[in-house]
Amino acid sequence: TGTVDDLKLVPPRAKWPEKLAEHWDVSERGAQRQLTDFCHEGLAHYAKQRVGKVCQGKALEKYRFELGWREFGYYVLYHHPDLAWKNFDSAYDKYPWAEGHVKMESWQQGQTGIPIVDAGMRQLWKTGWMHNRTRQIVASLLTKHMGVHWRRGEEWFWDTLVDADPGVNGFSWQWVAGSGTDAAAYCRIFNPVLQSKKYDPDGSYIKEFVPELKNLDPAQIHAPWEVSPGALAEKGIVLDENYPKPIVDLTRGRDRAQAAFDRIKGTTRTTKKAKRRR
């Protein structure tokens, strides 16, 4: 039998995986320890930590729900083995994705100018992991506001997440993008500023992974481009010098995505009517 090293999962001379050793014990012993710690300490608070609000008495129920959601992803993958690269809903084959890799590197590197997104993407690069809520926020920004094909995000998560899962990764990206199962495209155009204020109200998560914003007050940190240049300068911030301006206008990006969904929705409705006439 071979070893993990025989699989050559890490490219030669790659430096990035070395950082992950600071955060993960990649061994059977490490996995057993993680499971034991979760059962004894994490499970009781699972619902609160996962969704960001108190759900007393619901921890085990929420955990079971998430296990069921994961198994559903595997069920869909079994019947649709091309889920990682092909739209589950073929109507989205006509979606007007942005050509090329528009500002993709800024998203990958956590340099979008939108603090909650940058915190999540930098956490991913540093640790190989990010919270479920943040995954949804960064995925929504990429696919909805930036208009980048969900496959580009799926590929990046597959390469960087230590918990990348073939039954969940493509399934979840399509869920956020709107092309997957039970997709509700409109409600998943997340406003990252509102999400940031709701789930990181004091900005502590942002400050941990975007330290250049550590001096900003909670009222400033979620959308620094809305703060006057003078007030930012007092905190040592000059946009586009030591922290970027947003790479996309959130309102225009949302409107562009909604217009595209309207066209897709109309096409889908027309197709269904035509099939009924037959």
Side-chain angles (χ1 to χ4, degrees):
T1 59
T3 67
V4 172
D5 292 335
D6 293 334
L7 297 176
K8 298 180 179 179
L9 299 175
V10 179
R13 298 182 297 280
K15 299 260 183 214
W16 173 70
E18 296 176 3
K19 298 187 296 184
L20 302 185
E22 302 174 16
H23 306 277
W24 303 97
D25 178 1
V26 186
S27 66
E28 181 178 355
R29 182 179 60 183
Q32 292 287 356
R33 186 186 305 116
Q34 289 254 45
L35 179 61
T36 300
D37 290 346
F38 175 74
C39 290
H40 287 289
E41 301 175 15
L43 183 58
H45 309 287
Y46 181 78
K48 179 180 178 180
Q49 292 174 347
R50 184 169 180 84
V51 302
K53 57 185 178 181
V54 176
C55 300
Q56 292 181 349
K58 299 287 186 178
L60 186 56
E61 179 183 334
K62 180 63 178 173
Y63 184 56
R64 286 172 174 167
F65 173 85
E66 295 300 338
L67 289 178
W69 184 249
R70 183 193 66 181
E71 294 307 306
F72 178 52
Y74 271 98
Y75 171 84
V76 174
L77 180 63
Y78 176 82
H79 291 282
H80 300 271
D82 53 7
L83 195 65
W85 61 87
K86 184 178 179 181
N87 290 321
F88 178 85
D89 185 345
S90 60
Y92 284 80
D93 293 345
K94 298 181 180 180
Y95 191 88
W97 298 110
E99 294 294 329
H101 295 256
V102 181
K103 300 180 180 178
M104 185 72 181
E105 287 189 1
S106 297
W107 179 81
Q108 292 172 332
Q109 296 171 3
Q111 293 289 340
T112 68
I114 301 167
I116 189 68
V117 173
D118 293 342
M121 297 307 294
R122 294 186 196 186
Q123 180 186 23
L124 173 61
W125 184 250
K126 181 179 180 180
T127 71
W129 186 87
M130 75 167 86
H131 189 277
N132 174 66
R133 173 58 53 172
T134 323
R135 296 184 194 200
Q136 296 179 57
I137 296 171
V138 303
S140 179
L141 182 87
L142 184 72
T143 58
K144 304 296 179 56
H145 293 93
M146 295 172 61
V148 176
H149 201 296
W150 60 265
R151 283 200 299 262
R152 304 288 79 79
E154 191 275 343
E155 291 166 355
W156 185 250
F157 271 26
W158 181 255
D159 286 343
T160 54
L161 281 171
V162 295
D163 62 348
D165 188 313
V168 176
N169 200 36
F171 174 78
S172 298
W173 270 95
Q174 292 217 49
W175 183 84
V176 174
S179 60
T181 61
D182 189 32
Y186 286 101
C187 73
R188 294 189 193 116
I189 304 180
F190 290 172
N191 182 316
V193 175
L194 295 181
Q195 292 283 310
S196 183
K197 291 178 178 178
K198 181 176 181 179
Y199 292 102
D200 187 30
D202 63 356
S204 57
Y205 173 70
I206 292 172
K207 292 178 181 181
E208 179 179 357
F209 292 101
V210 190
E212 57 265 45
L213 302 181
K214 64 182 180 182
N215 294 326
L216 295 185
D217 300 329
Q220 302 170 321
I221 198 167
H222 304 287
W225 63 91
E226 295 180 353
V227 181
S228 70
L232 287 178
E234 290 178 1
K235 301 298 178 67
I237 299 295
V238 179
L239 294 183
D240 269 353
E241 288 191 14
N242 53 8
Y243 188 70
K245 293 179 181 178
I247 62 174
V248 63
D249 183 287
L250 296 178
T251 300
R252 292 178 182 174
R254 178 202 63 203
D255 292 346
R256 184 168 54 245
Q258 287 187 336
F261 286 127
D262 282 339
R263 291 193 293 273
I264 294 292
K265 203 172 180 181
T267 301
T268 305
R269 201 179 291 123
T270 301
T271 302
K272 288 181 178 178
K273 287 182 179 178
K275 287 181 177 179
R276 281 198 293 270
R277 290 194 192 101
R278 294 184 192 132

